[in-house]
Amino acid sequence: MVTARQKRTRAGVVLRCGAATCALVLAGCGSGADDREDAKPSAGAYAATTTTTPGASAAHRLPAPGEAEDEVLKAYGSMWAERTKAYRAASAEGTDLKLYLTPSAWAAVEADLDRMNRERTQMRGDLRHDPEVTTLATAERPPTATVRDCVDPSAWQTLDTTTGWRLPPPAGRPARYVATARLEHGERWTVTEYAEDRTRSC
């Protein structure tokens, strides 16, 4: 026969065992969460997978492969947008042209603008462009790219500011011609060289 006291004792054992079981279950859950946290890559592990080489400055971090080509074309387009403003006024004042050109490339544009001022000419209209990236070397230091452009000057005319007359285009110039630009990535993509071959149609 089981007395009331024995029943209470057994109930206490069941409760104590139940509490111990819960503690074990909770400990197991906590251990799984810790394991999952441990499985996450640390900040150091992530940094090791980036394209930045040890000791490289922020200015020379490699562009993401999927974005580099778009960045090159955007920089080239921005350079020409600012260059167009400068040629329309025969002056780079008020433009951001220098942001997209290295000093050597800027010197060539500056010489053009000086010539236009001597000849009292400005440009009117727009040059049409069809650029494409032909080479992209993001592993180089600094990263480099080459852009081949097919330039359409049919709506780009020279204005004689003394007479107000529009000057005819040079004889024998093709309807569209090839231009080539080289860019480097420092703080941003900038044009280091730009050359036009007005005898080569595209």
Side-chain angles (χ1 to χ4, degrees):
M1 179 176 177
V2 179
T3 66
R5 181 177 180 180
Q6 288 173 325
K7 288 180 179 180
R8 286 195 299 273
T9 302
R10 289 182 180 179
V13 171
V14 170
L15 288 174
R16 285 194 296 273
C17 290
T21 302
C22 289
L24 288 173
V25 170
L26 290 174
C29 292
S31 175
D34 290 342
D35 289 344
R36 286 192 297 273
E37 288 297 323
D38 291 342
K40 295 178 181 178
S42 65
Y46 176 78
T49 65
T50 66
T51 53
T52 304
T53 57
S57 67
H60 290 137
R61 286 177 184 156
L62 296 180
E67 299 174 357
E69 187 170 326
D70 289 341
E71 290 177 1
V72 168
L73 292 175
K74 183 178 179 180
Y76 180 78
S78 296
M79 182 275 293
W80 258 113
E82 297 303 308
R83 189 167 178 164
T84 298
K85 293 178 189 176
Y87 280 30
R88 285 173 179 163
S91 170
E93 186 175 350
T95 74
D96 292 325
L97 186 54
K98 285 186 177 181
L99 289 178
Y100 304 103
L101 298 170
T102 60
S104 59
W106 161 247
V109 174
E110 190 175 35
D112 260 358
L113 297 175
D114 288 343
R115 175 186 53 77
M116 292 172 69
N117 277 297
R118 289 194 307 271
E119 296 175 355
R120 299 183 183 277
T121 59
Q122 294 176 354
M123 302 307 296
R124 291 293 183 267
D126 288 288
L127 276 175
R128 298 188 180 98
H129 300 271
D130 186 16
E132 61 175 340
V133 177
T134 54
T135 65
L136 182 60
T138 57
E140 290 186 5
R141 287 292 185 274
T144 62
T146 303
V147 171
R148 180 187 183 276
D149 193 3
C150 186
V151 181
D152 179 353
S154 58
W156 187 241
Q157 295 180 314
T158 305
L159 176 71
D160 184 328
T161 58
T162 302
T163 63
W165 295 346
R166 295 177 186 261
L167 304 178
R173 187 179 69 182
R176 297 190 301 172
Y177 57 84
V178 174
T180 305
R182 186 178 184 275
L183 293 88
E184 289 184 357
H185 188 277
E187 293 183 0
R188 63 182 67 83
W189 285 104
T190 52
V191 176
T192 62
E193 299 173 20
Y194 177 81
E196 296 176 343
D197 186 349
R198 299 190 182 189
T199 65
R200 183 180 171 196
S201 61
C202 53

